[in-house]
Each structure stands twice: as structure tokens, then as C-alpha cells.
Amino acid sequence: YELRVSQSVSKRDTSDIPTSTSDVVRDKDRWFSVYRNVVDWEAYNRTRLGVKLDFSSQATKGHFLKAGFEFTRFSTWYTNFEFPSPLIRRVRFVGKDHQIGVPIRPYQGAFYVQDKMEFEGLIINAGVRFDFVAPNVNAPILENTGSPMYSTQTTFRNIPTKKAPVQMQFSPRIGVSHPITASSLFRFSYGMFA
């Protein structure tokens, strides 16, 4: 067997900038734009924790079995403020229940089993895999997003939501190979891959 545990963390915060966008500063003859303070920053925190376990066994002379599972848990939030002019403001963010700085915690996983069967003049690899992804968030009901009553950041927090569904995929796979000569063989394979 083989067990792997992993963790990764990414953080960024560029918010220590001017708090407002200024008018363009021009040269003394007013021909060229020299500079401009623009509010455009992002902050995020992304954490990923994963576990993967694989088993393998030469069960009999003609059967090599493999099975395993993996599971990954995420915790992430993201915020971007962009004020390209004193009259335009854009705020983009990912956060639980439309809250800035509050992480969402989706997770995903998979299970698989496969068998390599060896016969005289024939090798068959057969297996199945099951994958799932759980967003673990309440998603806005999209037909409401064009409504003027949800057009600002404050009122968008009140938009009707529903639990995002878990996505699942069942993936069968099979491969057959048959040696034709000492240096060539015939292969056939079919599979669904998520």
C-alpha cells in the first residue's frame, strides 16, 4: 500500500495601497499623463488538504489487483477591489454566503478498483472509478441576478440561494492487448474519464 498526505497553503494581500483613486497627474505642459494612484488590490487565502491511499496485490499468478481512494478538502476565500476611476468601483469576491473574507469549504474524492488479468496471448485491464465533487455552498438562483433589487453588493447578499448539488461521475474502463509478434501488439481500450 501507499499512503500520501499533502497540504498546500497560498496567501496574498496587496491591500496596503492608497484608499482612493486620484485624478490623472499630468506634466507641466499638460500633454502627458505622468501617474495616477489607482485602487486595485486583491487578497486571498487558499488551503488544500489531501489524503490518498492506494493498495496493490498480485492476488494470483494471473490477477494483479489495485484499489484506492483519495479525498481533498479545500478552504478558500478571494477578494478583489478595483476602482479604475473615481466614478467606477468593482468588487469581486468568493466567500461563504456572499461574505467577504469568510472561506468556502468544498471537497472532492474518488474511489477506484481495477484488475490486470494476464492470460496466454492476452492481457485485460478492467476497472471502475467513482468521482464526486461537493461545492458545499449556497449558490445564487441565477434568474434573479438581473433584477435591479440585487444590483449592489449590499442587496446581492439577500439574493435567494439554493444548496449547490454534489456532482458525481461513474467511470468504467477496459483495455485489451494481444501480442502479434515479439515487437508488436494489438491494443484496444475504452474508458470514461472525469
Side-chain angles (χ1 to χ4, degrees), residues 35-163:
Y35 73 91
R36 175 187 207 176
N37 290 325
V38 175
V39 175
D40 186 356
W41 61 269
E42 69 179 358
Y44 61 77
N45 187 337
R46 300 176 187 142
T47 303
R48 183 175 81 179
L49 179 63
V51 176
K52 183 172 175 148
L53 181 61
D54 295 304
F55 299 95
S56 58
S57 173
Q58 187 73 48
T60 67
K61 183 181 177 185
H63 290 276
F64 181 68
L65 301 173
K66 289 177 80 175
F69 76 90
E70 59 185 277
F71 181 82
T72 306
R73 175 74 180 216
F74 302 89
S75 176
T76 185
W77 61 268
Y78 172 82
T79 305
N80 171 249
F81 282 84
E82 179 185 357
F83 303 164
S85 77
L87 302 175
I88 299 172
R89 293 184 177 193
R90 295 186 192 106
V91 179
R92 298 176 192 92
F93 63 94
V94 173
K96 183 177 181 185
D97 298 326
H98 313 297
Q99 297 179 56
I100 293 176
V102 179
I104 59 172
R105 291 188 166 87
Y107 54 91
Q108 67 184 29
F111 304 91
Y112 76 92
V113 62
Q114 70 182 47
D115 186 9
K116 180 179 181 181
M117 299 166 273
E118 296 185 54
F119 306 101
E120 190 171 327
L122 187 66
I123 299 172
I124 299 173
N125 282 300
V128 293
R129 181 180 170 101
F130 175 74
D131 292 275
F132 66 91
V133 175
N136 201 24
V137 295
N138 292 322
I141 299 173
L142 294 177
E143 51 266 17
N144 293 316
T145 56
S147 171
M149 56 192 289
Y150 302 118
S151 63
T152 67
Q153 179 181 352
T154 306
T155 58
F156 188 80
R157 290 181 180 175
N158 300 321
I159 195 168
T161 62
K162 64 180 177 181
K163 186 78 172 170

Side-chain angles (χ1 to χ4, degrees), residues 5-26:
V5 178
S6 62
Q7 180 180 15
S8 67
V9 177
S10 299
K11 295 180 181 182
R12 182 174 184 177
D13 187 352
T14 61
S15 61
D16 57 345
I17 60 169
T19 56
S20 63
T21 298
S22 67
D23 289 329
V24 175
V25 176
R26 299 191 181 274

